Amino acid sequence: MQSESMYHVLTKMIEGDQQAFHALYDATYKDIYRTVSFLVDHPQDREDIMNEIYMQMWTSLPNYDPNRPFHFWLHGLVIRQVQRFRVKSWRRFRIFERIRVFSRQEHHWDQPTLRTDGTDPEISRAMHKLTDKQRTVIILRFYHDYKLEEIATLLNIPLGTVKSRYHAGLQLLRKQLGNLPLERKEENNAY
């Protein structure tokens, strides 16, 4: 969606037009879902986060500054919703652990599955071996082409921290993908 038509859709959304919301949803869903898929393992969790992102977008849109790029603002919403989800998950985990300890029942967690459409499965597996913080920086850099300074702004962390996570993440990815034949490495460089 071009920036002029995006601005028109955003204006209509602020006025409460549901059709404009559907148009914006259709234009952004795949990109946002791919990002969430890299950051969250469980498919049901992804769907919950996607719902929260678009609900938050609907309610926060009057606060959006049209002088700033919309996708940058939207990616900030994505990162904040994923971080909120992780905090909630951690709280739920602690509650479940307490219940399990008290009831002495075994609990089996679902195995995380990978769903990163259009991405080499080996790269997806390697990405999921990174820490959440490293993965977030790598995804914002390679899938959304943000500069390291923009990522620092988006995540509200110092540039040095972004660089540290970026280089550590790349180093781990190279280590993970190092066993691939040379021609596979070249294919996989198209993150």
Side-chain angles (χ1 to χ4, degrees):
M1 190 178 282
Q2 297 296 327
S3 61
E4 189 172 307
S5 63
M6 177 74 77
Y7 180 75
H8 178 70
V9 168
L10 291 172
T11 303
K12 286 190 162 266
M13 271 185 66
I14 292 171
E15 294 170 355
D17 186 342
Q18 291 185 358
Q19 292 299 325
F21 176 80
H22 289 292
L24 188 65
Y25 178 85
D26 290 341
T28 59
Y29 178 81
K30 286 183 181 176
D31 177 54
I32 299 303
Y33 191 80
R34 184 175 68 172
T35 300
V36 171
S37 295
F38 271 114
L39 297 173
V40 178
D41 291 332
H42 199 278
Q44 182 59 46
D45 295 340
R46 291 180 202 145
E47 295 300 325
D48 293 343
I49 291 171
M50 290 296 291
N51 290 335
E52 291 294 323
I53 288 168
Y54 282 98
M55 285 297 297
Q56 186 68 39
M57 183 180 73
W58 179 262
T59 58
S60 299
L61 203 53
N63 301 328
Y64 167 65
D65 178 6
N67 296 320
R68 298 183 70 190
F70 175 72
H71 285 285
F72 188 77
W73 179 78
L74 183 58
H75 289 141
L77 274 180
V78 170
I79 297 301
R80 285 190 295 279
Q81 288 301 322
V82 169
Q83 289 171 340
R84 282 188 193 135
F85 173 79
R86 287 181 180 146
V87 169
K88 284 182 189 175
S89 293
W90 176 243
R91 288 182 184 147
R92 276 191 310 233
F93 174 77
R94 291 185 61 189
I95 291 170
F96 284 134
E97 276 298 303
R98 286 182 184 163
I99 292 171
R100 188 183 68 81
V101 167
F102 286 125
S103 64
R104 297 183 186 268
Q105 292 178 347
E106 290 290 323
H107 183 76
H108 301 283
W109 293 96
D110 293 336
Q111 291 294 320
T113 57
L114 300 178
R115 181 180 163 89
T116 50
D117 296 336
T119 303
D120 186 303
E122 292 176 69
I123 291 176
S124 295
R125 278 190 288 278
M127 292 285 289
H128 282 275
K129 290 181 180 175
L130 300 177
T131 66
D132 291 337
K133 293 176 180 178
Q134 292 168 342
R135 193 178 332 144
T136 300
V137 170
I138 295 292
I139 288 168
L140 291 173
R141 177 71 184 107
F142 287 102
Y143 282 95
H144 300 294
D145 293 327
Y146 287 121
K147 295 176 184 168
L148 296 179
E149 294 83 7
E150 292 173 321
I151 295 171
T153 301
L154 195 62
L155 298 177
N156 197 25
I157 58 176
L159 178 60
T161 304
V162 171
K163 287 180 180 177
S164 173
R165 291 176 186 173
Y166 174 72
H167 291 295
L170 281 183
Q171 195 171 27
L172 286 173
L173 283 176
R174 286 186 184 119
K175 189 175 178 181
Q176 294 290 326
L177 300 172
N179 296 333
L180 296 173
L182 186 58
E183 58 274 5
R184 290 298 305 258
K185 282 184 191 174
E186 291 173 0
E187 286 176 17
N188 292 339
N189 279 339
Y191 291 112

